[in-house]
Amino acid sequence: GHDPEPRERTYRYPDATTVTQVIARGRPHLRQCYETATRRVGAPTAQRVRMRVHIAPAGRVSDVEIEGAQLPGMAECLERTASRWSFPASRRGAEAPLSLVFVPGELAQSGS
């Protein structure tokens, strides 16, 4: 039997489930950015943050766009944190939009 399937598996887009898992693992670290920034300011305020993570074909993060992180140093920390994530390689790369709501004193885990 001749197998027509190419040996190396390169998908056109990264698998959405895997992307979601990488982001889920990274969320507590994003939360730490919020908590550090909150401590620095001394007055806890809720923050609504929109992020767009650009994933290069090799799986590295090529760019991170952030809107709404208003605490000093928070946007930089979120960007640094997300840019360390590593995703599965794909032919096209991808963009992953994220909506985050940080509320003072809430646990990093939301849902069960």
Side-chain angles (χ1 to χ4, degrees), residues 59-83:
R60 303 196 67 79
V61 173
S62 58
D63 189 28
V64 182
E65 296 170 56
I66 294 168
E67 271 177 57
Q70 275 139 10
L71 300 173
M74 185 173 164
E76 291 83 353
C77 178
L78 292 172
E79 192 175 332
R80 249 198 332 276
T81 302
S83 64

